[in-house]
């Protein structure tokens, strides 16, 4: 088939996946999750385990090594059937601790140590490079087999060019759909749905080729059985040690591979889905392996001697003239490779970003987490660059290794690498005495042994290790030869490396853990992990609060985004009985904030960032009691006392705040009465004085007109003041008549901007607006809403003290509600004044500069209440910021329509 047609088919298939992923993301954003969170989609996403290795390589494995390929399917099956409780505990820990990756799991368990996060990240990235190279190799080989020798149209000059374009295309797709949500703990619905579709494609393709091989080429099962007896597969010798070792490796991989962890734990929406996966995923594996031996034996008997058995799935249909079936098989292999690379790149990029880039950036940045800056943008960019870098590493391994090794051999190298994480994972989940130092030393030793004994030799003699080291050992020390460590010879190189790396890893982990004592926070995390099913009160990582809520909000906005951070803080404040955006920074609140941030930047980075604001990161005696099982009764009593103490302290703080507010309101009231008296007396005095002058019959005509204008202006001023008082009274009594009609929000904002331009017209004032977002219909009392907008814009023009004043007006629609934010670039409103600005007697500044009675924002508040909305002050935005929120369609009108 011409190469350009083959490329066109691949592009069409990728575009289809784009469409599926985009549709799933759009459906999720609209809240219509439904079947996107079904157990079957979850189970199909686990098929990410079945890569090009299991699609192409399993057949080649069977042709070379008989039934040994079964171990690759048997290991995961035993884990899902026999270790279901372990998987459930792993998923529960991931949900309660907001785990974002396997590196985050190890880091969080052992005291939220970023060092451990870095170690696991390095292991995962290095171990993944052979696997990514395997996918590039399989797809490149399939391109070479499927495309004709002399293509009609364009063709890449060599296989390396094909691999480069493939790696680049996969990087683009992964960046587009794998970094749309910054919160790594959120579900990547688009990617998961695309993987589920690819799971069906590769299963159907492999079954179709298998059915063709059995009944299209051979003459049914009896013929296939006879061919097996006549083939080398029948003479395959069973080696129990290697069989057990490979089964163990495959079972370990399903727990420790970053891509499997991503879909198994991070993407899990409901623990009950594991119950379905415990039988459905082994069934899927059984179907994937059902025709492996028939395809292998038929290929050996039909295809020319010397044919690559890794490609029998493609070459067998092509040899029989079944190009359409071969194309389906090609798409199945393409799906197997691309789905693995996409999810692995997402998982690894998250680890690199959370445990290497962001901590390093915070360390080097002056001011650390306290310095203003867009951490969100940094994390997104670092993940995108990490995805590109991971693809580049995979291609580098492919180029250096020559791409000539059997696919199964390459995959087993990766399995052995990620298996080094198993001792720390299992030990951390079930042994409270495990320490971070034990885990770090064990992981490092196991990783170095794996690198030396298996990874570096995989490049071949004369590659990264010289022939002399491979045959005689470093410096001629024979017992340090990579394939004969400590003088033990004759073992299979893979099993040799697995045995020594995991043995030394586990020994160091246990020995160092027994010789060291876990830190208080390690013991608390150990309690949370080991006893994850217990519903009792969890021990705290913060003994005191002490941080300023506004500082924490500014930091959270830089990570979560303004809207999500404000929504989180507002909910927390509401739970404490407060109506604004700033909750009390209690230890419980700081703990919940840390968990929320951990979903984006990982547990270790989130803990370090909050520690720069909050005090009490050191664990108190009460926290130490929480990890002492023998003091459970004392713990329960102390928790009750602590809860009561905090409740009393909170009540005392609230009473103090109310008292301060009442005192400030009293001062404001006195000032208000004085100002009202002045505002009423001044125009009345002027009217009286000038009216007496007008009574003079000899007054010239020019002066008569001048004094009449003064009286008129003073009357308007007096009327405006009285109108404000009357308007406020009517609004408070909820007796206002609303004139509800449909309008374009953009027109209302434009009208308000024009009307407010009379306020300090001599100032150069800049507006930042997103005009396309403003064009949306709204049903409300337009005059009243414009009155609110005019007041806010006028206040910004009046009080913004920036050298170059700007006002940003942003519009956002979410569900049936509309929010309009007005944020200037001035110094903002002092914290003490923020709680009073909507009161009737409040002033933003001094009386002379205000030029009014201080009723503007109080009237705005009452208008919004009557419109079914709210107006609030947004802290932490740099300047003065107000948010107007209201329904797109008033509830009153809806009730009237329903009644009609």
């Amino acid at each position: 088939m011409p190469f350009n047609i083959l490329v066109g088919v691949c592009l069409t298939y990728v575009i289809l996946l784009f469409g599926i992923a985009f549709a799933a993301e759009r459906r999720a954003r609209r809240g219509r999750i439904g079947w996107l969170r079904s157990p079957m989609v979850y189970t199909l996403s686990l098929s990410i385990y079945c890569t090009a290795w299991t699609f192409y390589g399993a057949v080649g494995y069977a042709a070379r090594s008989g039934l040994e390929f079964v171990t690759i399917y048997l290991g995961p099956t035993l884990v899902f059937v026999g270790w279901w409780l372990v998987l459930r505990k792993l998923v529960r820990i991931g949900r309660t601790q907001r785990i974002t990756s396997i590196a985050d799991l190890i880091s969080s368990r052992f005291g939220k140590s970023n060092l451990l996060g870095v170690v696991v990240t390095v292991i995962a990235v290095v171990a993944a490079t052979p696997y990514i190279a395997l996918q590039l190799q399989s797809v490149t080989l399939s391109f070479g087999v499927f495309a004709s020798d002399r293509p009609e149209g364009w063709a890449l000059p060599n296989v390396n060019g094909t691999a480069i374009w493939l790696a680049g295309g996969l990087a683009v797709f992964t960046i587009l759909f794998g970094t749309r949500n910054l919160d790594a703990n959120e579900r990547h619905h688009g990617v998961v749905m695309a993987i589920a579709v690819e799971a069906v494609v590769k299963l159907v393709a492999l079954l179709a080729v298998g059915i063709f091989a059995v009944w299209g080429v051979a003459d049914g099962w009896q013929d296939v059985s006879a061919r097996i007896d006549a083939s080398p597969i029948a003479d395959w010798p069973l080696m129990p040690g290697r069989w057990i070792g490979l089964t163990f490796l495959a079972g370990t991989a399903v727990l420790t591979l970053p891509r499997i962890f991503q879909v198994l734990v991070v993407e899990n929406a409901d623990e009950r889905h594991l119950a379905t996966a415990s039988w459905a995923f082994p069934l899927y594996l059984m179907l994937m392996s059902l025709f492996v031996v028939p395809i292998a034996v038929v290929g050996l008997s039909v295809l020319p001697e010397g044919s690559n058995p890794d490609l029998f799935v493609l070459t067998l249909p092509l040899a029989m003239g079944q190009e359409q079936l071969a194309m389906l098989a090609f798409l199945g292999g393409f799906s197997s490779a691309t789905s693995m690379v996409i999810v692995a790149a997402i998982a690894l990029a998250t680890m690199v970003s959370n445990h290497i880039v962001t901590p390093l950036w915070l360390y080097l940045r002056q001011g650390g987490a306290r310095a203003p800056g867009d951490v969100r943008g940094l994390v997104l960019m670092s993940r995108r660059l990490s995805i590109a870098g991971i693809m580049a590493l995979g291609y580098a391994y492919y180029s250096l290794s020559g791409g000539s090794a059997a696919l199964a051999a390459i995959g087993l190298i990766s399995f052995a690498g990620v298996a080094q994480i198993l001792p720390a994972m299992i030990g951390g989940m079930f042994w409270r005495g495990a320490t971070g130092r034990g885990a770090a030393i064990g992981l490092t030793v196991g990783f170095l042994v794996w690198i030396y004994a298996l990874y570096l030799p995989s490049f071949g003699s004369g590659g990264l290790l010289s022939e002399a080291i491979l045959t005689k050992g470093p410096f001629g020390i024979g017992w340090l030869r990579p394939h004969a460590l400590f003088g033990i010879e004759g073992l299979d190189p893979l099993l040799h490396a697995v045995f020594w790396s995991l043995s030394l890893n586990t020994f160091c982990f246990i020995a160092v853990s027994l010789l060291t004592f876990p830190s208080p926070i390690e013991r608390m995390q150990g309690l949370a992990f080991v006893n994850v099913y217990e519903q009792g009160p969890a021990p705290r990582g913060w003994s005191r609060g002490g941080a300023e809520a506004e500082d924490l909000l500014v930091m959270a906005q830089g990570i979560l985004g303004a809207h999500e951070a404000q929504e989180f803080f507002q909910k927390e404040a509401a739970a404490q009985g407060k109506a604004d955006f700033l909750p009390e920074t209690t230890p419980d609140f700081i703990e919940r904030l840390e968990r929320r941030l951990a979903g984006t930047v990982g547990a270790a980075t989130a803990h370090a960032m909050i520690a720069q604001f909050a005090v009490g990161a050191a664990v108190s005696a009460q926290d130490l009691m929480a990890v002492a099982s023998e003091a459970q009764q004392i713990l329960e009593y102390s928790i009750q006392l602590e809860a009561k103490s905090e409740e009393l302290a909170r009540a005392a703080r609230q009473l103090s705040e109310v008292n301060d507010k009442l005192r400030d309101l009293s001062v404001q009231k006195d000032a208000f009465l004085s100002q009202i008296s002045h505002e009423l007396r001044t125009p009345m005095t002027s009217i009286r004085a000038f009216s007496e002058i007008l009574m003079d019959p000899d007054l010239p005509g020019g002066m008569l007109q001048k004094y009449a204008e003064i009286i008129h202006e003073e009357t308007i001023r007096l009327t405006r003041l009285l109108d404000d008082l009357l308007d406020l009274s009517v609004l408070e009594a909820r007796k206002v008549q609303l004139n509800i009609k449909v309008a374009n929000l953009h027109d209302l904002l434009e009208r308000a901007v024009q009307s407010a331009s009379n306020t300090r017209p001599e100032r150069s004032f800049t507006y930042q607006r997103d005009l396309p977002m403003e064009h949306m219909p709204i049903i409300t009392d337009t005059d009243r809403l414009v009155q609110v907008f005019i007041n806010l814009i006028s206040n910004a023009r009046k009080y913004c003290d920036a050298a170059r004043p700007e006002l940003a007006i942003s519009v956002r629609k979410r569900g049936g509600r509309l929010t309009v934010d007005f944020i200037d670039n001035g110094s903002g409103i002092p914290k003490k004044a923020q709680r009073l600005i909507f009161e009737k007697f409040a002033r933003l500044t001094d009386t002379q500069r205000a030029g009014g009675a201080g009723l503007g924002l109080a009237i705005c508040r009452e208008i919004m209440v009557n419109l079914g909305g709210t107006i609030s002050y947004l802290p932490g935005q740099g300047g003065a910021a107000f948010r107007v929120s209201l329904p797109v369609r008033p509830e009153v009108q809806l009730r009237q329509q329903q009644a009609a």
Side-chain angles (χ1 to χ4, degrees):
M1 177 178 288
F3 193 84
N4 54 347
I5 295 180
L6 190 61
V7 171
V9 171
C10 291
L11 289 177
T12 303
Y13 180 71
V14 169
I15 291 172
L16 175 63
L17 292 180
F18 263 96
I20 292 171
F22 181 79
E25 289 280 356
R26 187 176 181 183
R27 185 181 179 89
R29 283 198 303 270
R30 293 181 176 180
R32 295 185 294 175
I33 303 296
W35 49 268
L36 293 178
R37 288 186 177 177
S38 68
M40 198 51 62
V41 170
Y42 176 70
T43 301
L44 287 174
S45 70
L46 293 172
S47 70
I48 198 70
Y49 176 80
C50 300
T51 65
W53 174 6
T54 52
F55 191 86
Y56 291 126
V59 174
Y61 203 171
R64 297 184 183 95
S65 306
L67 292 180
E68 192 173 277
F69 81 94
V70 175
T71 59
I72 306 306
Y73 302 92
L74 184 59
T77 299
L78 292 176
V79 169
F80 270 81
V81 174
W83 279 28
W84 185 82
L85 293 178
V86 176
L87 295 177
R88 180 169 173 258
K89 187 171 187 177
L90 187 62
V91 170
R92 175 70 64 88
I93 291 171
R95 290 175 65 83
T96 56
Q97 298 290 323
R98 290 186 67 83
I99 299 300
T100 61
S101 64
I102 193 168
D104 196 31
L105 176 81
I106 304 299
S107 169
S108 179
R109 163 59 181 89
F110 296 102
K112 302 178 181 178
S113 165
N114 194 62
L115 174 63
L116 271 172
V118 172
V119 172
V120 176
T121 298
V122 171
I123 292 174
V125 170
V126 175
T129 52
Y131 224 136
I132 293 174
L134 184 154
Q135 314 310 312
L136 297 178
Q137 176 177 332
S138 64
V139 177
T140 301
L141 288 175
S142 63
F143 263 99
V145 169
F146 207 95
S148 59
D149 294 335
R150 285 183 289 182
E152 302 167 12
W154 65 275
L156 292 172
N158 53 52
V159 293
N160 283 334
T162 305
I164 289 176
W165 280 100
L166 177 64
L170 291 176
V172 171
F173 183 90
T174 308
I175 288 171
L176 287 176
F177 284 95
T179 59
R180 294 169 69 89
N181 293 329
L182 182 57
D183 189 344
N185 197 254
E186 291 181 358
R187 317 292 174 241
H188 299 87
H189 296 290
V191 172
V192 169
M193 196 62 216
I195 291 168
V197 171
E198 288 188 307
V200 175
V201 171
K202 59 191 178 188
L203 178 61
V204 170
L206 198 56
L207 290 177
V209 174
I211 292 171
F212 172 74
V214 173
W215 287 280
V217 180
D219 193 19
W221 284 110
Q222 290 185 345
D223 185 17
V224 170
S225 178
R227 294 180 188 230
I228 293 175
D229 293 336
S231 72
I233 296 177
D235 301 326
W236 167 73
L238 174 65
M239 294 181 287
R242 182 172 171 84
W243 181 279
I244 294 172
L246 293 181
T247 302
F248 169 77
L249 265 187
T252 299
V254 85
L255 290 172
T256 55
L257 281 171
R259 69 177 190 275
I260 304 295
F261 189 90
Q262 177 74 27
V263 295
L264 178 67
V265 178
V266 179
E267 301 292 345
N268 180 273
D270 192 333
E271 284 182 24
R272 292 172 296 183
H273 292 173
L274 277 174
T276 302
S278 65
W279 62 264
F281 183 57
L283 176 62
Y284 183 91
L285 294 179
M286 187 272 288
L287 292 175
M288 287 291 292
S289 62
L290 185 61
F291 288 102
V292 167
V293 171
I295 295 173
V297 73
V298 171
L300 288 172
S301 62
V302 171
L303 296 174
E305 186 176 352
S307 298
N308 187 350
D310 284 329
L311 297 173
F312 279 179
V313 175
L314 273 180
T315 53
L316 183 60
L318 284 174
M320 298 293 111
Q322 299 292 326
E323 288 200 356
Q324 292 180 341
L325 179 60
M327 176 59 71
L328 178 62
F330 173 82
L331 290 178
F334 187 75
S335 296
S336 301
T338 54
S339 58
M340 175 270 160
V341 173
I342 290 169
V343 179
I346 291 173
L348 294 173
T350 299
M351 294 160 65
V352 171
S353 169
N354 289 357
H355 298 285
I356 297 178
V357 177
T358 305
L360 184 63
W361 181 75
L362 289 173
Y363 175 78
L364 296 176
R365 185 175 68 158
Q366 187 175 2
R370 289 181 173 272
D374 183 16
V375 182
R376 185 181 181 86
L378 168 79
V379 174
L380 279 173
M381 182 57 66
S382 66
R383 287 183 185 173
R384 289 164 181 165
L385 293 177
S386 297
I387 288 171
I390 289 163
M391 296 296 183
L393 286 175
Y395 174 75
Y397 186 96
Y398 168 79
S399 298
L400 290 174
S401 64
S404 58
L407 300 182
I410 299 176
L412 290 172
I413 294 171
S414 289
F415 277 17
V418 294
Q420 306 308 316
I421 305 172
L422 185 68
M425 172 190 280
I426 300 299
M429 290 171 60
F430 294 96
W431 182 26
R432 284 171 54 185
T435 68
R437 277 176 282 186
I441 294 175
L443 283 166
T444 303
V445 170
F447 175 64
L448 292 177
V449 172
W450 170 74
I451 284 282
Y452 179 71
L454 190 62
Y455 183 83
L456 294 180
S458 70
F459 291 96
S461 59
L464 298 182
L465 288 181
S466 65
E467 182 70 23
I469 292 178
L470 290 173
T471 56
K472 299 179 180 180
F475 309 106
I477 305 174
W479 58 272
L480 288 181
R481 285 174 292 165
H483 291 162
L485 287 175
F486 307 108
I488 297 180
E489 301 184 24
L491 279 179
D492 177 87
L494 174 68
L495 296 183
H496 170 270
V498 171
F499 171 76
W500 282 116
S501 61
L502 281 178
S503 296
L504 293 175
N505 181 341
T506 305
F507 173 78
C508 292
F509 172 56
I510 295 175
V512 176
S513 293
L514 291 173
L515 294 174
T516 58
F517 192 79
S519 66
I521 191 169
E522 281 185 62
R523 289 183 66 81
M524 288 194 323
Q525 288 298 99
L527 179 68
F529 273 58
V530 175
N531 300 332
V532 69
Y533 294 121
E534 294 184 4
Q535 298 299 320
R540 290 174 177 165
W542 304 95
S543 58
R544 301 183 300 281
E548 288 290 336
E550 190 164 351
D551 293 339
L552 292 175
L553 176 59
V554 172
M555 178 194 68
Q557 287 179 147
I559 299 173
L560 303 175
H563 181 77
E564 291 185 16
Q566 291 161 13
E567 189 177 71
F568 174 78
F569 272 68
Q570 192 173 26
K571 287 182 179 178
E572 290 291 328
Q576 295 178 2
K578 303 183 71 174
D580 56 12
F581 284 84
L582 298 179
E584 293 185 40
T585 54
T586 62
D588 286 337
F589 165 73
I590 293 179
E591 190 81 19
R592 286 191 292 272
L593 176 61
E594 181 182 342
R595 294 268 181 90
R596 184 63 179 267
L597 297 179
T600 297
V601 294
T605 303
H607 186 78
M609 294 181 76
I610 290 187
Q612 297 189 31
F613 294 90
V615 297
V619 185
S620 64
Q622 289 85 350
D623 298 321
L624 291 177
M625 285 192 293
V627 295
S629 58
E630 63 273 11
Q632 187 64 31
Q633 293 180 346
I634 300 175
L635 168 64
E636 293 176 357
Y637 181 65
S638 67
I639 288 175
Q640 292 175 2
L641 288 178
E642 185 178 357
K644 291 181 179 179
S645 175
E646 288 186 3
E647 186 177 350
L648 290 172
R650 187 179 299 113
R653 286 194 298 269
Q654 291 176 347
L655 287 173
S656 176
E657 290 179 0
V658 170
N659 186 53
D660 291 342
K661 186 174 182 179
L662 288 174
R663 185 167 54 250
D664 292 341
L665 285 175
S666 178
V667 173
Q668 290 284 349
K669 184 177 181 180
D670 292 339
F672 170 76
L673 293 175
S674 175
Q675 179 66 17
I676 286 294
S677 176
H678 172 75
E679 292 288 343
L680 289 172
R681 187 179 296 125
T682 299
M684 292 294 290
T685 301
S686 299
I687 292 172
R688 179 179 177 182
F690 286 110
S691 61
E692 290 177 353
I693 296 175
L694 290 178
M695 294 172 62
D696 184 356
D698 298 329
L699 191 67
M703 296 184 66
L704 179 66
Q705 182 178 357
K706 177 182 177 182
Y707 293 151
E709 289 177 356
I710 293 174
I711 292 174
H712 179 69
E713 291 173 358
E714 293 296 325
T715 304
I716 293 175
R717 178 181 171 187
L718 180 60
T719 303
R720 186 184 303 118
L721 177 61
L722 294 175
D723 285 344
D724 285 347
L725 291 170
L726 180 61
D727 196 20
L728 183 58
S729 176
V730 171
L731 288 167
E732 288 179 331
R734 307 292 184 265
K735 295 180 179 179
V736 64
Q737 293 293 323
L738 298 178
N739 182 19
I740 305 295
K741 54 186 175 182
V742 181
N744 187 329
L745 180 62
H746 169 76
D747 297 338
L748 303 184
L749 287 169
E750 192 66 29
R751 183 173 142 199
V753 169
Q754 295 298 325
S755 298
S757 60
N758 294 325
T759 304
R760 299 190 70 179
E762 74 281 359
R763 300 189 76 188
S764 175
F765 204 86
T766 304
Y767 294 95
Q768 301 290 342
R769 298 168 62 184
D770 187 354
L771 298 181
M773 282 295 297
E774 294 178 2
H775 285 280
M776 63 177 66
I778 183 171
I779 304 174
T780 187
D781 187 323
T782 57
D783 293 334
R784 288 291 186 178
L785 185 59
V786 168
Q787 183 180 348
V788 174
F789 292 165
I790 291 174
N791 186 280
L792 295 176
I793 297 171
S794 298
N795 282 345
R797 293 183 64 95
K798 190 185 301 182
Y799 299 116
C800 182
D801 54 4
R804 295 180 178 178
E806 293 183 0
L807 178 65
I809 303 176
S810 60
V811 177
R812 181 186 180 95
K813 183 181 179 183
R814 192 164 189 176
R817 294 193 69 83
L818 183 71
T819 60
V820 185
D821 292 345
F822 299 83
I823 306 174
D824 67 36
N825 63 336
S827 57
I829 298 175
K831 184 177 179 181
K832 186 178 180 181
Q834 291 175 12
R835 61 186 179 184
L836 297 173
I837 53 177
F838 293 106
E839 302 298 333
K840 286 183 286 188
F841 316 120
R843 298 295 190 95
L844 292 177
T845 182
D846 60 272
T847 300
Q848 286 74 22
R849 185 178 174 189
L855 296 175
L857 289 177
I859 292 174
C860 289
R861 180 188 62 185
E862 296 302 326
I863 288 175
M864 294 312 303
V865 170
N866 279 271
L867 294 180
T870 60
I871 181 172
S872 52
Y873 183 77
L874 281 177
Q877 306 304 310
F882 292 86
R883 169 167 292 172
V884 175
S885 175
L886 73 162
V888 177
R889 177 177 296 183
E891 295 181 3
V892 174
Q893 189 198 30
L894 287 175
R895 287 196 296 268
Q896 290 175 349
Q897 290 180 353
Q898 291 170 357

